[in-house]
Amino acid sequence: MRLDSRFNLEANGHRIALDTSGSHCDSCFVSHAHADHTGALRSRKNKIIASEETVALAGRSADRISSLEFDGTKAELLPSGHMLGARQLRVECGGESFTYTGDFKLEKSLTAEKAEVCETDVLMIEGTFGDPAYEFPEREEVYDAISFFIKKNYEAGSIVLLGGYALGKAQELVAITNRLCGLKPVVSERIGRACRVYSDFGVKLDAAVMGTPEAEELMESNFVAVMPFHEVNYANAVAISRRFRRSVYSAIATGWAKSMRFPVDVAFPLSDHADFKDILGYVEAARPKTVYCCHGNEGTLSAELRKRGFNAAPADGKGVQLSLGTW
Ligand SMILES: [Zn+2]
Protein backbone atom coordinates (compact mmCIF):
# COMPACT_ATOMS: atom_id res chain seq x y z
CA MET A 1 0.00 0.00 0.00
CA ARG A 2 1.28 3.51 -0.74
CA LEU A 3 0.18 7.09 -1.33
CA ASP A 4 1.18 8.55 -4.69
CA SER A 5 2.38 12.13 -5.17
CA ARG A 6 -1.26 13.32 -5.51
CA PHE A 7 -2.23 11.55 -2.30
CA ASN A 8 -4.26 8.86 -4.04
CA LEU A 9 -4.12 5.52 -2.26
CA GLU A 10 -2.65 2.52 -4.09
CA ALA A 11 -3.47 -0.90 -2.65
CA ASN A 12 -2.52 -4.07 -4.55
CA GLY A 13 -2.28 -2.03 -7.75
CA HIS A 14 -5.80 -0.55 -7.29
CA ARG A 15 -5.70 3.24 -7.14
CA ILE A 16 -8.34 5.08 -5.08
CA ALA A 17 -8.83 8.86 -5.22
CA LEU A 18 -9.60 10.43 -1.84
CA ASP A 19 -12.26 13.13 -2.32
CA THR A 20 -10.82 14.21 -5.68
CA SER A 21 -12.13 13.60 -9.18
CA GLY A 22 -9.26 11.11 -9.65
CA SER A 23 -9.05 10.94 -13.43
CA HIS A 24 -6.22 8.37 -13.28
CA CYS A 25 -7.75 6.26 -10.52
CA ASP A 26 -9.69 2.98 -10.59
CA SER A 27 -12.25 4.24 -8.09
CA CYS A 28 -13.00 7.41 -6.15
CA PHE A 29 -13.90 7.64 -2.49
CA VAL A 30 -16.40 10.46 -1.82
CA SER A 31 -16.50 11.03 1.94
CA HIS A 32 -19.64 13.21 2.00
CA ALA A 33 -21.93 15.36 -0.11
CA HIS A 34 -20.33 18.83 0.22
CA ALA A 35 -19.43 20.20 -3.22
CA ASP A 36 -15.68 20.46 -2.51
CA HIS A 37 -15.61 16.66 -2.06
CA THR A 38 -17.95 15.47 -4.83
CA GLY A 39 -15.90 16.15 -8.00
CA ALA A 40 -15.84 12.42 -8.74
CA LEU A 41 -19.65 12.21 -8.63
CA ARG A 42 -19.92 15.11 -11.06
CA SER A 43 -17.32 13.68 -13.47
CA ARG A 44 -19.53 10.64 -14.24
CA LYS A 45 -16.51 8.43 -15.00
CA ASN A 46 -15.13 6.29 -12.22
CA LYS A 47 -16.65 3.80 -9.87
CA ILE A 48 -17.60 5.47 -6.61
CA ILE A 49 -16.97 4.42 -3.03
CA ALA A 50 -19.52 6.31 -0.93
CA SER A 51 -22.56 5.82 1.28
CA GLU A 52 -26.03 5.72 -0.29
CA GLU A 53 -26.91 8.83 1.71
CA THR A 54 -24.03 10.80 0.17
CA VAL A 55 -25.02 9.82 -3.37
CA ALA A 56 -28.67 10.71 -2.67
CA LEU A 57 -27.76 14.10 -1.15
CA ALA A 58 -25.60 14.84 -4.20
CA GLY A 59 -28.60 14.02 -6.40
CA ARG A 60 -26.82 11.15 -8.21
CA SER A 61 -27.80 7.60 -9.01
CA ALA A 62 -26.53 4.80 -6.76
CA ASP A 63 -25.62 2.54 -9.71
CA ARG A 64 -22.00 3.72 -9.74
CA ILE A 65 -21.38 2.69 -6.14
CA SER A 66 -18.55 0.18 -6.15
CA SER A 67 -18.17 -2.93 -4.04
CA LEU A 68 -15.79 -2.54 -1.10
CA GLU A 69 -13.68 -5.53 -2.14
CA PHE A 70 -11.25 -5.20 -5.02
CA ASP A 71 -8.09 -6.98 -6.12
CA GLY A 72 -7.84 -8.90 -2.84
CA THR A 73 -8.13 -5.74 -0.76
CA LYS A 74 -10.99 -4.90 1.57
CA ALA A 75 -12.16 -1.37 2.27
CA GLU A 76 -14.48 -0.38 5.07
CA LEU A 77 -16.60 2.74 5.55
CA LEU A 78 -16.80 4.14 9.08
CA PRO A 79 -19.05 7.00 10.29
CA SER A 80 -17.26 10.35 10.29
CA GLY A 81 -19.94 12.37 12.12
CA HIS A 82 -19.74 15.34 9.73
CA MET A 83 -23.28 15.12 8.28
CA LEU A 84 -25.80 12.51 7.11
CA GLY A 85 -23.96 9.73 5.26
CA ALA A 86 -20.45 11.12 5.90
CA ARG A 87 -17.90 8.30 6.05
CA GLN A 88 -14.22 7.64 6.64
CA LEU A 89 -12.37 5.16 4.44
CA ARG A 90 -10.32 2.40 6.06
CA VAL A 91 -8.30 -0.03 3.94
CA GLU A 92 -6.35 -3.06 5.13
CA CYS A 93 -3.81 -4.65 2.84
CA GLY A 94 -0.73 -6.81 3.47
CA GLY A 95 -1.13 -6.56 7.24
CA GLU A 96 -1.12 -2.74 7.21
CA SER A 97 -3.99 -0.32 7.68
CA PHE A 98 -4.75 3.11 6.26
CA THR A 99 -7.55 5.47 7.34
CA TYR A 100 -8.72 8.69 5.66
CA THR A 101 -11.13 10.69 7.84
CA GLY A 102 -12.62 13.13 5.32
CA ASP A 103 -14.35 15.92 7.27
CA PHE A 104 -15.21 14.61 10.73
CA LYS A 105 -16.40 15.43 14.22
CA LEU A 106 -16.31 13.31 17.35
CA GLU A 107 -19.57 14.54 18.88
CA LYS A 108 -22.98 13.09 18.09
CA SER A 109 -25.45 15.71 16.87
CA LEU A 110 -29.23 15.89 16.38
CA THR A 111 -28.77 14.88 12.74
CA ALA A 112 -25.55 12.82 12.55
CA GLU A 113 -23.85 10.04 14.45
CA LYS A 114 -20.36 10.58 15.86
CA ALA A 115 -17.11 9.51 14.19
CA GLU A 116 -15.80 6.05 14.93
CA VAL A 117 -12.08 5.90 15.76
CA CYS A 118 -10.00 2.77 15.04
CA GLU A 119 -6.29 2.18 15.47
CA THR A 120 -4.48 2.59 12.16
CA ASP A 121 -0.91 2.50 10.82
CA VAL A 122 -1.28 5.49 8.53
CA LEU A 123 -3.82 8.24 9.13
CA MET A 124 -4.83 10.99 6.72
CA ILE A 125 -6.82 13.49 8.79
CA GLU A 126 -8.60 16.76 8.00
CA GLY A 127 -7.26 19.87 9.72
CA THR A 128 -9.94 22.53 9.07
CA PHE A 129 -9.73 23.65 12.71
CA GLY A 130 -6.31 22.13 13.31
CA ASP A 131 -5.01 25.07 15.30
CA PRO A 132 -5.02 25.30 19.14
CA ALA A 133 -6.93 28.63 18.79
CA TYR A 134 -10.06 26.65 17.89
CA GLU A 135 -11.88 25.21 20.85
CA PHE A 136 -15.64 24.85 20.60
CA PRO A 137 -18.08 24.78 23.52
CA GLU A 138 -20.07 21.59 24.22
CA ARG A 139 -22.70 21.04 21.52
CA GLU A 140 -25.55 20.92 24.05
CA GLU A 141 -24.54 24.38 25.30
CA VAL A 142 -24.67 25.78 21.76
CA TYR A 143 -28.03 24.05 21.15
CA ASP A 144 -29.38 25.71 24.32
CA ALA A 145 -28.14 29.13 23.18
CA ILE A 146 -29.64 28.76 19.69
CA SER A 147 -33.01 27.48 20.94
CA PHE A 148 -33.16 30.30 23.53
CA PHE A 149 -32.49 32.83 20.73
CA ILE A 150 -35.21 31.33 18.52
CA LYS A 151 -37.87 31.05 21.25
CA LYS A 152 -37.24 34.45 22.84
CA ASN A 153 -37.50 36.35 19.56
CA TYR A 154 -40.29 34.24 18.04
CA GLU A 155 -42.42 34.52 21.18
CA ALA A 156 -41.93 38.30 21.10
CA GLY A 157 -43.58 38.33 17.64
CA SER A 158 -40.42 38.70 15.54
CA ILE A 159 -39.17 36.89 12.47
CA VAL A 160 -36.09 34.75 13.15
CA LEU A 161 -33.58 34.10 10.34
CA LEU A 162 -31.08 31.27 10.81
CA GLY A 163 -28.24 30.75 8.35
CA GLY A 164 -25.98 27.77 7.74
CA TYR A 165 -24.51 25.68 4.93
CA ALA A 166 -27.43 24.38 2.90
CA LEU A 167 -26.29 20.77 3.30
CA GLY A 168 -25.73 19.52 6.81
CA LYS A 169 -25.83 22.61 9.01
CA ALA A 170 -29.21 23.81 7.70
CA GLN A 171 -30.74 20.40 8.51
CA GLU A 172 -29.32 20.57 12.04
CA LEU A 173 -30.89 24.05 12.42
CA VAL A 174 -34.22 22.61 11.24
CA ALA A 175 -33.88 19.82 13.84
CA ILE A 176 -33.15 22.38 16.60
CA THR A 177 -36.21 24.41 15.53
CA ASN A 178 -38.42 21.27 15.43
CA ARG A 179 -37.26 19.37 18.47
CA LEU A 180 -36.01 22.02 20.89
CA CYS A 181 -38.46 24.81 20.02
CA GLY A 182 -41.53 22.88 18.76
CA LEU A 183 -41.67 25.00 15.59
CA LYS A 184 -41.74 24.28 11.87
CA PRO A 185 -39.38 26.58 9.93
CA VAL A 186 -39.70 27.88 6.41
CA VAL A 187 -36.75 26.80 4.22
CA SER A 188 -35.37 27.43 0.74
CA GLU A 189 -36.02 24.82 -1.95
CA ARG A 190 -32.47 23.42 -1.84
CA ILE A 191 -32.52 23.09 1.94
CA GLY A 192 -35.97 21.48 1.72
CA ARG A 193 -34.72 18.94 -0.82
CA ALA A 194 -31.89 17.89 1.53
CA CYS A 195 -34.36 17.74 4.45
CA ARG A 196 -36.40 15.20 2.45
CA VAL A 197 -33.29 13.01 1.91
CA TYR A 198 -32.53 13.17 5.65
CA SER A 199 -36.13 12.13 6.39
CA ASP A 200 -35.92 9.29 3.81
CA PHE A 201 -32.91 7.93 5.71
CA GLY A 202 -34.64 8.11 9.09
CA VAL A 203 -33.69 11.59 10.37
CA LYS A 204 -37.16 13.13 10.44
CA LEU A 205 -37.26 16.84 9.70
CA ASP A 206 -40.32 19.04 9.36
CA ALA A 207 -40.04 22.19 7.24
CA ALA A 208 -42.18 24.17 4.78
CA VAL A 209 -40.54 25.07 1.46
CA MET A 210 -40.80 28.73 0.41
CA GLY A 211 -43.32 29.28 -2.36
CA THR A 212 -45.67 26.51 -1.20
CA PRO A 213 -49.12 27.35 0.26
CA GLU A 214 -47.96 25.92 3.61
CA ALA A 215 -44.98 28.30 3.77
CA GLU A 216 -47.13 31.25 2.64
CA GLU A 217 -49.52 30.53 5.49
CA LEU A 218 -46.69 30.32 8.07
CA MET A 219 -45.31 33.63 6.78
CA GLU A 220 -48.62 35.46 7.37
CA SER A 221 -47.54 35.71 11.01
CA ASN A 222 -44.12 35.74 12.69
CA PHE A 223 -41.99 32.78 11.60
CA VAL A 224 -38.59 31.09 11.69
CA ALA A 225 -36.66 30.70 8.42
CA VAL A 226 -33.60 28.50 7.85
CA MET A 227 -31.69 29.92 4.92
CA PRO A 228 -28.37 29.41 3.12
CA PHE A 229 -25.47 30.99 4.98
CA HIS A 230 -24.80 33.81 2.45
CA GLU A 231 -28.45 34.95 2.46
CA VAL A 232 -28.52 35.78 6.17
CA ASN A 233 -27.11 39.29 6.66
CA TYR A 234 -28.20 42.78 7.73
CA ALA A 235 -29.25 43.84 4.21
CA ASN A 236 -31.63 40.89 3.82
CA ALA A 237 -32.86 41.28 7.41
CA VAL A 238 -33.80 44.92 6.67
CA ALA A 239 -35.53 43.93 3.39
CA ILE A 240 -37.51 41.16 5.12
CA SER A 241 -38.41 43.46 8.01
CA ARG A 242 -39.80 46.06 5.56
CA ARG A 243 -41.71 43.46 3.55
CA PHE A 244 -43.39 41.79 6.53
CA ARG A 245 -43.54 44.89 8.79
CA ARG A 246 -42.03 43.01 11.72
CA SER A 247 -38.76 43.11 13.57
CA VAL A 248 -36.22 40.56 12.33
CA TYR A 249 -33.44 38.83 14.29
CA SER A 250 -30.68 37.03 12.40
CA ALA A 251 -28.12 34.41 13.38
CA ILE A 252 -25.72 32.07 11.67
CA ALA A 253 -24.17 28.82 12.88
CA THR A 254 -20.56 28.11 11.94
CA GLY A 255 -17.27 27.12 13.55
CA TRP A 256 -15.77 30.26 11.99
CA ALA A 257 -17.76 32.29 14.54
CA LYS A 258 -14.70 31.73 16.78
CA SER A 259 -12.46 33.83 14.55
CA MET A 260 -14.55 35.95 12.15
CA ARG A 261 -17.24 38.63 12.31
CA PHE A 262 -20.49 38.27 10.35
CA PRO A 263 -23.23 40.81 9.52
CA VAL A 264 -25.85 39.21 11.80
CA ASP A 265 -27.17 39.70 15.34
CA VAL A 266 -25.50 36.53 16.68
CA ALA A 267 -22.98 34.02 15.29
CA PHE A 268 -23.13 30.66 17.08
CA PRO A 269 -20.00 28.44 17.10
CA LEU A 270 -21.78 25.28 15.93
CA SER A 271 -19.40 23.27 13.77
CA ASP A 272 -19.58 20.01 11.82
CA HIS A 273 -15.79 19.70 12.15
CA ALA A 274 -13.69 18.61 15.10
CA ASP A 275 -11.95 21.39 17.02
CA PHE A 276 -8.24 21.15 17.83
CA LYS A 277 -8.64 19.13 21.04
CA ASP A 278 -10.89 16.59 19.28
CA ILE A 279 -8.46 16.29 16.34
CA LEU A 280 -5.72 15.60 18.87
CA GLY A 281 -8.01 13.17 20.71
CA TYR A 282 -8.63 11.30 17.46
CA VAL A 283 -4.92 11.02 16.64
CA GLU A 284 -4.07 9.85 20.16
CA ALA A 285 -6.78 7.16 20.04
CA ALA A 286 -5.87 5.98 16.52
CA ARG A 287 -2.15 5.56 17.49
CA PRO A 288 -0.86 5.98 13.91
CA LYS A 289 2.79 5.50 12.93
CA THR A 290 2.39 8.22 10.30
CA VAL A 291 -0.09 11.11 9.99
CA TYR A 292 -0.83 13.22 6.93
CA CYS A 293 -2.87 16.41 7.49
CA CYS A 294 -5.20 17.74 4.78
CA HIS A 295 -8.10 20.13 4.04
CA GLY A 296 -6.89 23.38 5.60
CA ASN A 297 -4.45 24.29 8.37
CA GLU A 298 -2.27 21.32 7.26
CA GLY A 299 0.98 23.09 8.16
CA THR A 300 -0.12 24.22 11.62
CA LEU A 301 -1.72 20.90 12.52
CA SER A 302 1.22 18.80 11.40
CA ALA A 303 3.63 21.08 13.32
CA GLU A 304 1.45 20.77 16.47
CA LEU A 305 1.34 16.98 16.08
CA ARG A 306 5.12 16.78 15.62
CA LYS A 307 5.54 18.81 18.85
CA ARG A 308 3.57 16.06 20.57
CA GLY A 309 5.75 13.30 19.16
CA PHE A 310 3.73 12.21 16.12
CA ASN A 311 5.34 11.55 12.76
CA ALA A 312 3.17 14.09 10.92
CA ALA A 313 3.36 16.06 7.67
CA PRO A 314 1.02 18.20 5.56
CA ALA A 315 -0.57 16.34 2.65
CA ASP A 316 -0.02 19.24 0.32
CA GLY A 317 3.21 18.21 -1.34
CA LYS A 318 4.97 21.10 0.45
CA GLY A 319 6.64 21.56 3.79
CA VAL A 320 8.01 18.64 5.75
CA GLN A 321 8.13 15.49 3.68
CA LEU A 322 7.75 11.99 5.01
CA SER A 323 8.58 9.00 2.92
CA LEU A 324 5.72 8.52 0.49
CA GLY A 325 6.91 5.09 -0.52
CA THR A 326 5.37 1.77 0.40
CA TRP A 327 4.81 1.51 4.11
ZN1 LIG B 1 -17.74 19.06 4.50
Side-chain angles (χ1 to χ4, degrees):
M1 214 160 25
R2 66 184 282 275
L3 287 167
D4 71 14
S5 57
R6 293 179 182 176
F7 290 91
N8 301 306
L9 179 69
E10 276 183 36
N12 266 348
H14 188 100
R15 190 174 289 194
I16 307 171
L18 303 172
D19 277 336
T20 65
S21 53
S23 48
H24 304 295
C25 294
D26 301 296
S27 54
C28 298
F29 172 59
V30 179
S31 64
H32 65 285
H34 283 153
D36 52 338
H37 297 257
T38 54
L41 280 170
R42 290 193 296 276
S43 77
R44 297 171 183 274
K45 285 186 207 142
N46 302 24
K47 279 282 182 192
I48 296 296
I49 301 172
S51 69
E52 280 182 36
E53 293 93 324
T54 291
V55 175
L57 282 168
R60 305 286 164 172
S61 138
D63 59 10
R64 284 170 62 205
I65 293 186
S66 151
S67 130
L68 291 174
E69 255 180 83
F70 38 83
D71 303 330
T73 302
K74 200 160 181 272
E76 191 183 357
L77 299 184
L78 304 172
S80 82
H82 181 58
M83 63 183 291
L84 180 79
R87 298 287 185 268
Q88 307 173 70
L89 178 73
R90 180 181 165 81
V91 178
E92 285 193 31
C93 178
E96 303 269 27
S97 54
F98 167 83
T99 305
Y100 166 62
T101 64
D103 292 352
F104 79 97
K105 77 171 179 336
L106 291 186
E107 290 174 301
K108 186 180 182 327
S109 73
L110 286 176
T111 46
E113 57 201 325
K114 64 181 185 178
E116 190 177 327
V117 185
C118 291
E119 290 193 10
T120 190
D121 295 309
V122 176
L123 175 65
M124 194 158 152
I125 191 167
E126 70 125 341
T128 304
F129 293 112
D131 182 313
Y134 291 103
E135 185 172 350
F136 301 134
E138 293 294 318
R139 205 164 202 83
E140 293 301 323
E141 258 177 57
V142 186
Y143 281 168
D144 286 348
I146 296 175
S147 55
F148 179 78
F149 173 84
I150 295 171
K151 283 190 276 192
K152 179 176 134 220
N153 293 307
Y154 177 82
E155 283 162 13
S158 301
I159 293 168
V160 180
L161 305 181
L162 304 172
Y165 292 122
L167 272 185
K169 190 61 62 61
Q171 286 67 45
E172 193 173 5
L173 291 170
V174 170
I176 292 170
T177 309
N178 290 163
R179 295 188 222 164
L180 305 183
C181 306
L183 295 168
K184 177 189 271 204
V186 170
V187 298
S188 70
E189 197 177 329
R190 183 159 176 239
I191 290 174
R193 212 180 310 128
C195 286
R196 282 196 295 280
V197 176
Y198 270 65
S199 293
D200 289 346
F201 284 94
V203 181
K204 297 293 173 204
L205 297 173
D206 194 15
V209 176
M210 279 176 201
T212 62
E214 185 185 24
E216 294 298 323
E217 197 183 323
L218 282 172
M219 291 160 78
E220 280 171 14
S221 178
N222 54 326
F223 61 90
V224 179
V226 176
M227 298 162 67
F229 190 87
H230 64 276
E231 289 181 21
V232 178
N233 51 51
Y234 285 135
N236 273 352
V238 168
I240 290 168
S241 178
R242 284 201 181 124
R243 179 178 158 197
F244 292 94
R245 297 176 181 276
R246 284 183 184 275
S247 54
V248 172
Y249 289 88
S250 60
I252 54 158
T254 172
W256 298 110
K258 293 295 283 184
S259 59
M260 292 163 73
R261 292 237 168 236
F262 296 92
V264 290
D265 296 309
V266 195
F268 293 106
L270 185 73
S271 181
D272 293 330
H273 296 267
D275 64 4
F276 181 77
K277 86 177 149 30
D278 280 354
I279 294 175
L280 194 58
Y282 186 116
V283 176
E284 284 168 350
R287 299 161 52 96
K289 294 174 191 149
T290 305
V291 187
Y292 295 104
C293 306
C294 58
H295 298 315
N297 266 327
E298 301 94 341
T300 307
L301 177 58
S302 51
E304 291 291 336
L305 291 174
R306 285 197 302 278
K307 268 195 234 167
R308 291 160 176 82
F310 292 100
N311 185 28
D316 58 2
K318 296 181 275 188
V320 177
Q321 286 291 308
L322 302 178
S323 162
L324 290 183
T326 306
W327 65 73

